[in-house]
Amino acid sequence: MADELPPDPADPSAPEPGTDTITVSLPDDSTRTLAKGATAADLAAAIGPRLARDAVIAVVDGREVDLATPLPDGARVEIVTADSPRGLHTIRHSTAHVLAQAVLDLFPGATYAIGPPIENGFYYDFELPDGATLSDEDLEAIEARMREIIAADQPFERHEVDPDIALELFADHPYKREIIERVTQGAADRDLAEEVAGDGVVSYYRNSDTFIDLCTGPHVPSTGRLGHFALQKVAGAYWRGDERRPMLQRVYGTAWATADQLRDHLHRLAEAEKRDHRRLAHELDLVSWPDELGPGLAVWHPKGAIVRKLMEDYSRERHERGGYEFVFSPHIAKSVLWETSGHLDFYADSMYPPMELDGVSYYPKPMNCPFHVMVYRAGQRSYRDLPLRLFELGAVYRYELSGAVHGLLRSRGFTQDDSHIFATRDQVPGELASLLDFVLSVLRAFGFDEFQAKLSTRPEDKSVGDDALWDLATAGLRDALEGAGLDYVVDEGGGAFYGPKIDVDVRDAIGRSWQLSTIQLDFNLPERFELHYVGPDGRRHRPVMIHRALFGSVERFFGVLLEHYAGAFPVWLAPVQVRVLPVAAAHDAYAGEVADRLRAEGRRVDVVGADEPLGKRVRAAKVDKIPYVLVVGDDDVAHTTVGVNVRGGDRPERDVPLDEFARRLADDVESRRHE
């Protein structure tokens, strides 16, 4: 960017001087009288010095504005502080601008694209001259320059200009010009347009003589209000997410209102890094992702497969007790199935391409639901058959962009614990209430006890069915949530194309939220496939279809469990529950007898012989996160006892009778599995 920017045009909105007053109302319905032309900052100061110090932006008649904005008479005004969600959003947004300024200062000839706030932080995309790239080593210098900008306490000043002037101001920055041009051309993608314009003008912010950025704001009053941030990593990102467009350099950072919040967040990130399921899967020999398979496709090793089997067995057992009937379906189907279901109209981008066989197109299945519809449709159904609850552990295949694939948490091939319930309309409320109880019960069995639900409503553009059915379905889900007393938020437009849904999030051991279970109410697939049942009146009626997955997918649930427990699975899920260590070779035979006794009771046990020192073998068992390590020596052989080392325990127990340990282990397994 040039050393000096052109002067700003005069601001025609500045209030005329005068002695008149204005009156504004506050969120508590009290009022304040101020001089005409007073700003939101003046109001904060009038309320009190602490608020003036903590304020970052204001909300005036529902619109977020800078504190320097003059207040209109009669406005309703809320002063937003740094410790609120809106305040944090503003801090992260403003810090992203400082990041852009620092990069352009340090790398002459660089240009910038967009830099939004995101959950817990922010990012900014750059293009460096001559194809240069940023590295993590550059972050230290960038962060140092950012702190210089913050120390300078540069004010954020908002300006509005005609698009032609904006194009001149950003003449050297093609990505900014593209955004401006798309705005002036009335582009449909308002996600970018709303960042910079409104009512035929383009807004930008200046916070030094040499730096400006497109933005509608608002921002903190000055850079000096920032500072509790850290840059985290550099990644590649295609411009506008289009792999046909240039690859840009994306710098990620995090920003918070206080130093304590920043420190706590960085601690959580460090803990999350230690719990990364991909690293743990490798260290504990559970799962791997060979390059020969392709992105998002895993193979399960014996220890991982044991845990998966236990999860699936538990799911089967609970569904069998819950009145579900088991079904199985193929992995591919003709295109006509997906045309009828609507997936080819609304979901094709996430489906693998077809295979042409015998003049017919076959698609790998992205969903199990149309197959369960085929089961329902295979025979005449009566109201006496309903509700019909079908269950399958069905493998599905979805094309995820390679950049979105993330171990087991975002895969291209995975297995859903999929259920579809066909019911009369009168049965729906009871089924939904029962389903929510079922969902929470299963999640608790795996160690989760904090839940947050989300009710997702009809998408604006991609959906099928009439409004009345959607309203009825949405109301049914809302009633079920309220009847269960479950906290929930509403995600407007976040439903599936065929119906609204409930997603249930869990909070893990370090406070992260994971979306797992889902319940979807569907009046549309029964219509598209012309499903019916014979009612008590002898006439044909349309059933309602409920889609439901508890794990979401077996793979994702396993990955979340692995991170939740940091690899230390509860005893009933642990791939190896007990490891027996003979002190010396003379104790090998007894160690084998102990293992055989426990295996006969269904326990998973291994023996590590005395080829290496005992201390080294004990440490290895801790690394492998074995729940119980039994050490056996001369006295144990003589008295049929064991030494018990409990995972996470302070000191080992000696001379524990083997029968007593076996009972304790059995009680531990059963209580943990059903608690």
Side-chain angles (χ1 to χ4, degrees), residues 16-43:
E16 296 179 3
T19 59
D20 294 343
T21 61
I22 62 170
T23 301
V24 298
S25 60
L26 303 178
D28 63 1
D29 293 327
S30 65
T31 61
R32 288 277 175 163
T33 300
L34 304 166
K36 183 178 180 181
T39 65
D42 295 328
L43 173 61

Side-chain angles (χ1 to χ4, degrees), residues 321-462:
R321 296 206 319 255
Y324 288 78
E325 299 183 65
F326 290 47
V327 297
F328 298 91
S329 59
H331 291 236
I332 61 173
K334 293 193 297 184
S335 60
V336 64
L337 183 74
W338 310 111
E339 290 164 359
T340 305
S341 70
H343 285 92
L344 281 179
D345 288 332
F346 298 101
Y347 206 75
D349 290 345
S350 296
M351 295 174 67
Y352 272 90
M355 298 171 282
E356 302 295 333
L357 301 170
D358 302 324
V360 178
S361 296
Y362 288 81
Y363 286 86
K365 64 176 178 179
M367 305 280 189
N368 296 303
C369 37
F371 296 91
H372 294 190
V373 168
M374 296 296 100
V375 173
Y376 180 93
R377 207 177 66 175
Q380 178 89 324
R381 302 291 177 182
S382 163
Y383 71 95
R384 295 186 180 90
D385 301 322
L386 306 183
L388 176 64
R389 306 182 184 100
L390 303 180
F391 171 73
E392 176 180 13
L393 286 164
V396 297
Y397 306 90
R398 299 179 187 174
Y399 178 71
E400 300 280 0
L401 294 175
S402 57
V405 169
H406 183 70
L408 296 175
L409 303 181
R410 194 77 177 264
S411 303
R412 288 181 171 176
F414 53 93
T415 301
Q416 290 189 301
D417 60 331
D418 227 348
S419 177
H420 294 91
I421 301 170
F422 300 87
T424 69
R425 291 196 181 189
D426 291 342
Q427 292 168 336
V428 166
E431 287 298 307
L432 291 176
S434 174
L435 274 177
L436 276 176
D437 288 342
F438 192 14
V439 165
L440 300 183
S441 171
V442 169
L443 294 177
R444 288 189 177 103
F446 284 91
F448 299 109
D449 55 16
E450 292 186 55
F451 310 107
Q452 171 72 58
K454 178 171 63 181
L455 174 61
S456 299
T457 62
R458 183 173 191 164
E460 289 186 10
D461 46 3
K462 290 188 174 183

Side-chain angles (χ1 to χ4, degrees), residues 541-607:
H541 300 271
R542 195 76 74 200
V544 179
M545 187 174 177
I546 303 173
H547 307 243
R548 196 243 55 212
L550 295 186
F551 293 158
S553 82
V554 174
E555 287 77 1
R556 177 175 169 79
F557 196 84
F558 179 92
V560 172
L561 277 180
L562 190 54
E563 297 203 7
H564 176 59
Y565 289 113
F569 288 109
V571 179
W572 75 276
L573 276 177
V576 177
Q577 296 169 316
V578 180
R579 177 166 292 172
V580 186
L581 304 179
V583 173
H587 312 120
D588 283 352
Y590 179 66
E593 293 173 11
V594 170
D596 289 343
R597 158 71 188 279
L598 297 175
R599 289 185 189 123
E601 297 182 7
R603 310 305 167 213
R604 296 181 293 280
V605 187
D606 66 12
V607 178

